[in-house]
Amino acid sequence: MIVSAVAVSAAVAAPVSAATTSVPDGWNATGAATGCPAGVRLLAPAQPTAFYAAHPEALVPPGGGRAGAGILRTARRNADARLHWRTELTCRPGHPGRPVQPARQRAAGTTANGASTNWSGYVTNNGPGYLGAAMEWLVPSVDPSNPNNAQASIWPGIGTGNSTTDTLVQAGTQQTGFTSTSCTKGSCVSQWNALYSFWFETFPQEPEQEITNLTASPGDDVSAIAEYDPVSGQAYFELADYTTNEGVYYYQPVTGSAIGSGSQAEWIIERPETCNLGCSWWKLQNFGNEPIINAQAVEGSTWDQVTYADAAGTNPASMTLYDCAGDQLAGVGPITGFTDFTTSWLRYGNFDNAPC
């Protein structure tokens, strides 16, 4: 059972940061990052595990100012889990990113706040000023009963990715099912495959990066924190797997003509894009009913609960996922307990040209 408790913030006029250097207190930048984008630095613990249990604020990335009660619960969960923090990081490029895409057609009778051809979940709408987002979830099992080539990514993040002034900073897990065919001397055999992975992205600066030395498996209880520190100009990523008791913590410089804090925070299940000669949306992998808990964001100077992310105290907007034909692929339920909601898979949909 996953313990629920986290938070998002009251709006503050200008973002502030407690960080003055790129390396947080209690950590060392080892530089042991192989195959990752230039500037990615792994953070390794500089203290014994007992230190982090006594000082969970050391597990809160820079950029969010004062650590509110919500994020301290998540940090304390990471500390109490006595996670084995990776001392090296290996990456390889994944899919290219894309900002949220509005649905051009809507199925009749829907009541969602917003419609998209690639995102389903919740998005705040009162930025700028967002510096980080976090959440916890269970890695869903890829459905073997209907072997469609399909994919789903689950992640928290900030920004839209529409430009370098609003970089999309995100991290999460990806679940892929696909069929491969191998042929020998004219005889061909098809095999269905399931792949699970952790990943991160700073879009449009870099495409998605898969983490190859931190393994995700179906049923794993995982969490992700993605945060931007405007003082150092770094994006920080903290990924934890409570089932395997492993975690990884690292940062990456965010470059661009005019870097700012995120215009929004988001907690999303996405059907990713694949590009070869052209680009298309994947079919949406069957993830069943996916509970998202401890959804939170930092806006300005403190972490607080999702439902208080808007300046007016209203809920974030829900996003409903449709394919280009207007068929609904996934829906999202109401926020409960201030931090939790469930996204439900409805159908695979089609491989669609991107954008529609």
Side-chain angles (χ1 to χ4, degrees), residues 9-356:
S9 72
V12 176
V16 297
S17 171
T20 56
T21 65
S22 58
V23 180
D25 291 341
W27 297 84
N28 291 323
T30 68
T34 303
C36 305
V40 171
R41 301 291 301 276
L42 180 71
L43 293 166
Q47 300 287 343
T49 55
F51 171 84
Y52 302 101
H55 302 281
E57 66 277 4
L59 290 165
V60 179
R66 181 175 64 85
I71 189 61
L72 281 178
R73 289 191 189 100
T74 298
R76 190 170 290 112
R77 178 150 166 65
N78 288 355
D80 291 345
R82 298 294 201 272
L83 294 173
H84 171 67
W85 294 98
R86 306 296 274 179
T87 56
E88 60 182 34
L89 177 68
T90 59
C91 310
R92 65 184 174 201
H95 297 298
R98 181 177 285 272
V100 60
Q101 298 295 298
R104 296 193 176 186
Q105 301 183 49
R106 286 282 301 279
T110 59
T111 58
N113 296 58
S116 169
T117 52
N118 61 336
W119 289 11
S120 179
Y122 278 92
V123 178
T124 64
N125 52 21
N126 69 307
Y130 285 97
L131 300 179
M135 70 185 198
E136 184 178 343
W137 67 99
L138 296 177
V139 176
S141 178
V142 170
D143 179 17
S145 64
N146 191 341
N148 281 273
N149 288 352
Q151 191 171 81
S153 288
I154 306 176
W155 53 271
I158 58 168
T160 64
N162 288 323
S163 70
T164 55
T165 62
D166 194 18
T167 300
L168 179 56
V169 179
Q170 53 184 166
T173 62
Q174 194 156 268
Q175 298 73 218
T176 307
F178 67 97
T179 300
S180 60
T181 302
S182 58
C183 298
T184 304
K185 296 181 180 180
S187 177
C188 296
V189 177
S190 294
Q191 179 178 342
W192 191 76
N193 307 272
L195 297 178
Y196 304 88
S197 61
F198 287 96
W199 60 274
F200 67 98
E201 186 171 36
T202 53
F203 182 82
Q205 175 178 313
E206 300 280 356
E208 172 191 307
Q209 301 294 315
E210 179 185 343
I211 298 174
T212 58
N213 66 326
L214 184 65
T215 302
S217 298
D220 283 3
D221 179 5
V222 302
S223 71
I225 302 174
E227 189 164 347
Y228 172 70
D229 175 19
V231 173
S232 65
Q234 311 279 4
Y236 290 82
F237 303 94
E238 191 173 320
L239 292 161
D241 189 324
Y242 304 120
T243 302
T244 63
N245 203 43
E246 293 188 332
V248 65
Y249 188 15
Y250 53 98
Y251 65 87
Q252 176 183 12
V254 178
T255 60
S257 57
I259 297 300
S261 56
S263 64
Q264 62 186 35
E266 51 263 336
W267 305 269
I268 297 297
I269 295 182
E270 176 181 6
R271 66 164 179 163
E273 181 184 53
T274 184
C275 295
N276 192 356
L277 297 177
C279 294
S280 62
W281 307 121
W282 279 76
K283 291 183 178 182
L284 182 65
Q285 183 56 243
N286 184 354
F287 52 81
N289 295 316
E290 179 65 27
I292 304 298
I293 74 164
N294 294 349
Q296 56 193 325
V298 60
E299 184 187 10
S301 63
T302 186
W303 290 85
D304 211 340
Q305 293 167 336
V306 160
T307 46
Y308 296 117
D310 286 339
T314 57
N315 290 348
S318 62
M319 301 291 296
T320 303
L321 180 56
Y322 295 83
D323 64 15
C324 293
D327 292 326
Q328 186 177 347
L329 306 185
V332 60
I335 295 175
T336 61
F338 301 111
T339 63
D340 308 339
F341 63 91
T342 296
T343 297
S344 298
W345 179 90
L346 298 176
R347 56 181 57 87
Y348 289 97
N350 300 304
F351 278 100
D352 290 325
N353 290 332
C356 294

